Amino acid sequence: MPDWIEGQTVRVTTKRLGGSPLREFYSVAEPDPTKAETIIGRAIGMTPDVLVEALGPLTAAEIKTLGLKPGQFAHHS
C-alpha cells in the first residue's frame, strides 16, 4: 500500500428553513467518490436535509500536504 493515496473533495449542503443552503467542504483521503461521501456522511450524522456530494479528485500530493492518512478528512470553511 502506498504511503499516500489520492482523495476527493466533498461538499455538504444543508437545507435551512427560510434561508439559503449552508455549504461546507471537506478533503477526504479516499480515492473512491462513493466511499468518500460515506465517510463524511457518517462523520456528520446524515439527516434528510443534508446532501453529501463528491465533487472531484484530489492528488496524492494534495492529500500529503494536508497530512491526511487513508480514511481521514479535513474540514474547510
Side-chain angles (χ1 to χ4, degrees):
M1 180 177 203
D3 289 341
W4 299 100
I5 64 168
E6 295 176 342
Q8 291 289 320
T9 298
V10 175
R11 177 178 61 203
V12 175
T13 305
T14 305
K15 299 175 193 169
R16 298 189 309 173
L17 188 61
S20 15
L22 174 65
R23 290 186 178 88
E24 298 179 282
F25 295 87
Y26 296 83
S27 295
V28 186
E30 169 53 61
D32 180 271
T34 303
K35 288 180 182 178
E37 290 171 351
T38 300
I39 289 168
I40 297 303
R42 287 181 179 157
I44 64 169
M46 285 290 295
T47 60
D49 62 336
V50 174
L51 175 63
V52 178
E53 305 171 274
L55 298 179
L58 295 170
T59 65
E62 290 170 311
I63 294 297
K64 184 176 181 178
T65 298
L66 292 168
L68 299 175
K69 294 183 180 176
Q72 293 182 328
F73 60 89
H75 177 255
H76 307 285
S77 314

